[in-house]
């Protein structure tokens, strides 16, 4: 057995959660190694829906390609059973006009293999490459670090080695080693009666265009046999992601017998089809389970290693990357010696209620999808804005401070309410801000995962000075001190990293600040409002929860 070079953080599993964890840590200046047991990168569209809150995350991580490559959700189209005669065309998620506070208000679709390739390209800019064919077998942890035992495949040989790290993040899936060795519970249920086959395919069929998301049913209800086709040029000009579900199918046969799969598609569409290529297909039956906590000591789990559930609602990938984002900025601060290890306990405290509610939401959608025969396709397939995750909040978190609101906790998934902002909520954007050099800016271009953004709303520059002076005692590299002035303010230089004039009034409006008032809003590295306070005392209280004692 050999010992390879140590790394502050070892990430086991190179799916979306692992890649986001790696990139967040690298943006924070923390080195990582990321391994994956597969010998080749996974193919497949898999979980393609990217919801607005995740699109915001990728913006903060400076990964614009996700928004650029992603496409709007196609309109859904249903057909008369056994034919390509359209019955109804409607949106899965009705279009919502963006607002100054929510500039990304509509989901997009991008294949998981495309998303992973984009994220890997950003890791490679830091000189970090996924180590394929490298499987985590076991680990031991102490007060000082983690020693992981790794099996690395080199051709037909298997070489055992150890990797020393300060932290281990397990994004190695539901069957991975990390959760099991930590001894975390994984309670829930297996829905063996719900089985489907899904994959990617290339075909041309009369009446099957590459514009709509096609939905075929064997009868007016949905429980017997259902076929869904989503067009995607990522697979090819004639490419589709497909899913067949229903009690009338022999799912095991469809997943392994190409001709049986083709015959089932012909039966439900009732049209002439030229099959070009079956790229991949796999059987799936939903497990609905979650851990009792998201880590122990120096080892943590995220994504499928922490929770599995029905794909209905498209929350899996989105929840996974949000797990990783929440955890990684906290690990970075602890690794740098700026925060106590106790900060990492808030990962479980914040994410556990979110995932518990997510499982309830997706299970309810699953029951609706495979349940009552009299349900209409439009009722079953339409999705609401709650799934956009814009209302996901941590108001109940032990590390939020709010001196202005007496609003109590709400459901973890919450709802975005105009005129309401409480510590723990998603931080709104604000455009039409003018920098001291005259250039236009917006808050979403200020927020980044490597620092807390301290927004000091002050009637003039002089009013901000005492706050800036108090903040000078903290480590400057993990704070972005930003003074936000009204248009009426007299302007002079400040000690802030950035001074912005709220020309459009969107910052003062979105953050509920009255002109003439001094208020401080601290936005965490994950784009969540950590504190809303009136002055130095509130800031000290909040940062006393985040940083080591001064």
């Amino acid at each position: 057995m050999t010992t390879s070079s140590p790394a502050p953080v070892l990430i086991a599993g190179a799916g979306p959660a692992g890649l986001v964890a790696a990139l967040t840590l690298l943006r924070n200046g923390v080195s990582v190694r990321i391994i994956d047991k597969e010998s080749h990168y996974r193919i497949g569209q898999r979980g393609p829906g990217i919801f607005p809150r995740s699109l915001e995350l990728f913006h903060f991580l400076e990964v614009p390609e996700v928004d650029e490559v992603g496409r709007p959700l196609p309109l859904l189209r249903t057909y008369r059973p056994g034919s390509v005669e359209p019955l109804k065309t409607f949106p899965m998620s009705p279009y919502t006009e963006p607002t100054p506070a929510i500039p990304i208000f509509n989901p997009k679709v991008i294949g998981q293999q495309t998303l992973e390739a984009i994220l890997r390209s950003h890791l490679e800019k830091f000189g970090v490459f996924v180590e394929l064919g490298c499987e985590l077998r076991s680990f031991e942890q102490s007060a000082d670090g983690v020693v992981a035992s790794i099996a690395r495949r080199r051709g037909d040989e298997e070489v055992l080695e150890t990797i020393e790290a300060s932290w281990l993040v397990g994004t190695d899936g539901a069957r991975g080693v990390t959760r099991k060795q930590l001894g975390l519970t994984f309670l829930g249920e297996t829905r063996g009666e719900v089985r489907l086959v899904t994959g990617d395919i290339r075909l041309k069929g009369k009446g099957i265009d590459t514009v709509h998301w096609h939905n075929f049913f064997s009868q007016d209800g949905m429980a017997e046999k259902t076929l869904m086709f989503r067009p995607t040029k990522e697979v090819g000009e004639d490419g589709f992601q497909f899913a067949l579900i229903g009690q009338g199918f022999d799912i095991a046969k469809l997943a392994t017998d190409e001709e049986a799969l083709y015959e089932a598609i012909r039966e439900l569409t009732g049209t002439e089809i030229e099959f070009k290529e079956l790229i991949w297909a796999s059987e799936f039956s939903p497990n609905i389970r979650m851990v009792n906590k998201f880590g122990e000591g120096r080892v943590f789990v995220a994504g499928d290693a922490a929770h599995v559930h029905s794909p209905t609602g498209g929350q899996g990938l989105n929840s996974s990357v949000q797990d990783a984002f929440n955890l990684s900025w906290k690990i970075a601060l602890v690794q740098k010696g700026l925060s106590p290890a106790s900060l990492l306990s808030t990962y479980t405290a914040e994410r556990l209620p979110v995932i518990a509610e997510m499982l309830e939401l997706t299970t309810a959608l699953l029951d609706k999808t495979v349940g009552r025969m009299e349900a209409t396709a439009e009722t079953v397939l339409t999705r609401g804005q709650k799934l956009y995750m814009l209302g996901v909040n941590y108001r109940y978190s032990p590390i939020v401070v709010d001196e202005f609101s007496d609003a109590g906790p709400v459901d973890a998934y919450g709802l975005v309410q105009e005129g309401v902002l409480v510590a723990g909520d998603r931080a709104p954007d604000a455009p039409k801000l003018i920098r001291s050099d005259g250039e236009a800016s917006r808050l979403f271009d200020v927020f980044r995962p490597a620092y807390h953004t301290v927004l000091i709303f002050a009637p003039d520059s002089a009013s901000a000075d005492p706050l800036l002076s108090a903040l000078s005692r903290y480590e400057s590299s993990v704070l972005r001190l930003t003074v936000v002035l009204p248009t009426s303010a007299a302007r002079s230089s400040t000690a802030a990293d950035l001074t912005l004039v709220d020309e459009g009034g969107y910052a003062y409006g979105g953050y509920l600040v009255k002109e003439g008032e001094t208020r401080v809003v601290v936005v965490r590295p994950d784009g969540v409002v950590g504190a809303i306070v009136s002055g130095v005392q509130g800031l000290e209280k909040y940062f006393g929860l985040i940083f080591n004692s001064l």
Side-chain angles (χ1 to χ4, degrees), residues 25-45:
L25 287 159
L26 291 168
R27 293 279 187 215
N28 275 273
V30 176
S31 300
V32 304
R33 289 182 67 178
I34 180 167
I35 64 174
D36 196 280
K37 67 179 182 180
E38 301 295 335
S39 299
H40 304 281
Y41 295 127
R42 285 172 289 270
I43 64 170
Q45 295 286 291

Side-chain angles (χ1 to χ4, degrees), residues 124-138:
E124 290 165 7
K125 294 175 184 177
F126 290 89
V128 173
F129 296 82
V130 174
E131 300 175 44
L132 292 171
C134 195
E135 181 178 2
L136 175 67
R137 289 287 176 83
S138 65

